[in-house]
Each structure stands twice: as structure tokens, then as C-alpha cells.
Amino acid sequence: SAEQLFKDKNAGPTIETVAELIKSGKAKKIMIMCGAGISTAAGIPDFRSPGTGIYNNLRKYNLPYPEAIFDIDYFKENPEPFYALAKELYPTKFKPTLTHYFITLLHRKNILLRCFTQNIDTLERIAGLPDDKIVEAHGSFARSECLHCYAEADPDRVREAVFGEEIPKCSSCKVGLVKPCITFFGECLPVKFFEYLDDFLYCDLLIVIGTSLQVQPFASLVDRVESPTIRLLINREPIYEYFDFEGIYSEISRDAFYKGDCDDGIRKLAELIGWQDELEELYTIG
Ligand code: APR
């Protein structure tokens, strides 16, 4: 049919195309953008998946709206809901997933330009990515500080408070509320986010994994990667606001989509490149 012909004519790249780019050595500066979807397999819920997402399970906190739990003005008045949730999210018992280790493998092969993550679980660090390769766009639990005098809080004291169900208070000024350096709605992103923005202009492949791309300014980073640089989305659901998988808006699509679980997509990508043993070993020894 004409529609089918049209589709075939504009058939864009696939995960096989991406594997070939990496295997052939053409892709040397790979950008990774990731979200909560890469940590669900580690037991950390994402935010928006129907039923299991964090935003669907906050009724007990009587919030005015779900995102209030990460809103800086709401937090200053009512820190309790965030700290109750922090107890579930605090990076202690979670192990990085196969996807985290694939990103580490890219780094070990010297073809990772940067990993921009929205996640606050620090699993990229635990999987062995060095600090200069990671941009935690929404901060993380790694540091905490006082909202009044900005003194850095002792991480052990914060952890004790989180698990002791107390609200951590500043040990310097004695009055301020202590908050992990997670980017709340209403706060600006870490300086590092802006320092590395140009990476998107120089990368030769973008892989977006496990995110709904609902939150700005992170989501619009995908548009900073200029055509014809290929962009691969690995996600349970497609995202049409940013990607043109069928080549409807442009002569030839440059966007590939792998629909499914991150770890399945990553395992397939690794197999196509010939890295399956290395990846499984890295995942096993951790
Ligand atoms: N494999 C593949 N995709 C998955 C998996 C999985 N195992 N688990 C979830 N997903 C997909 C979901 O279908 C969804 O499209 O990952 C995406 C997760 O989207 P969100 O829950 O919105 O998480 P994220 O995109 O990281 O949210 C961005 O929202 O509240 C803010 O600051 C918070 O950083 C967070 C930001």
C-alpha cells in the first residue's frame, strides 16, 4: 500500500543500526540520557507508571498535588512527606542494573562522552562511572545542606534522621531545615548541568533510556543533538513529542525506538555489538 511504501521509504534507523555504529567504531562520543525507568529493575519505583509510579502512591500524605512532595515551598512548610518518601528512596540497599553497567562499559571503552541522569539514586556512581562522566541533573542524596545557612550537613546524621523518622535540623545554625541536594520543583538545576550542555552538540550518538521526558529543562536536551546524529530511545512506551520514528516530519528519520524493558533492550544491543559476555561479567562482579 502507499502508506506501507511511504513507511518503508522513510524507514528510520533501528537498534541494529546503533549497534553497527558502536561495533564499527564510528560512535566515539556517545551521550546517555536516562530516567527512573533504568532503576525500576533495581526495586526503585519510577514516578509516572500507572499503579506503581511514586506519584500514584502518595495518597497517605494528603498532598495538594503529587509533585508537591518535591516542591521547595511545600517542603519548607511540610517536610514530613518528603522525608517519609526519602526513607523508601534512600540509596542504601539498591544494586545497579544491567543498564547501569552498560553505561559503565561504554566509559571503559572510552566512547562515553557523558551520562545525563534524572535519577537521584546514585546508582550510576555505584556502577563505577566517575564523577566527571555523570551529570545528576536533579541532584542526588549524595550531599545535603541547610536551607537557612547553606552549611553542608553530615551525611551520616541525615541518614540517621531519615531512618529515625526525625526531620534533620542543621547542626551549624541550629534553626535551618536540612534537605538532600535533590533539585526540587522551584529550585534551579546544579551548575554542572549547564557546564556540560555543549556535549550535546559534539556527540555522535544519543541513547535515551527509561524516561517519559516530561520534565524540563532536561527533556528538551534531546533537541540539542543536531540532525543527522542518530537518537535511540529504549523505553516501555514511545515518546512522540521529541522523536520522529516514522520520518513523518523529516525526509529521513534519524530516530530509532526499542519498545520494551531497558535491560532487555540493553542486552540486545550488547549482543548485537558482541559485548554480551563482558557486560554480564561486569554486572555479575559489580
Ligand atoms: N524498562 C523500560 N522503560 C521503563 C521501565 C523499564 N524497566 N520502567 C519504567 N519505564 C518507563 C516508563 O514507561 C516511563 O516512560 O520509564 C519512564 C519513567 O518515566 P517517569 O516515571 O516519568 O520518570 P522520569 O522520566 O525519570 O521522571 C523525570 O520527574 O518528578 C520528576 O524529578 C523527577 O527526575 C524525575 C523526573
Side-chain angles (χ1 to χ4, degrees), residues 35-37 40 46-49 55 70 118-119 138 185 210-215 235-237 260-262:
T40 51
D46 70 8
F47 292 90
R48 297 174 179 85
S49 279
Y55 290 147
F70 290 114
Q118 298 171 94
N119 298 342
H138 296 163
F185 293 108
T211 175
S212 63
L213 291 180
Q214 301 268 306
V215 171
N235 207 51
R236 276 188 187 147
E237 55 189 10
D261 275 17
C262 306

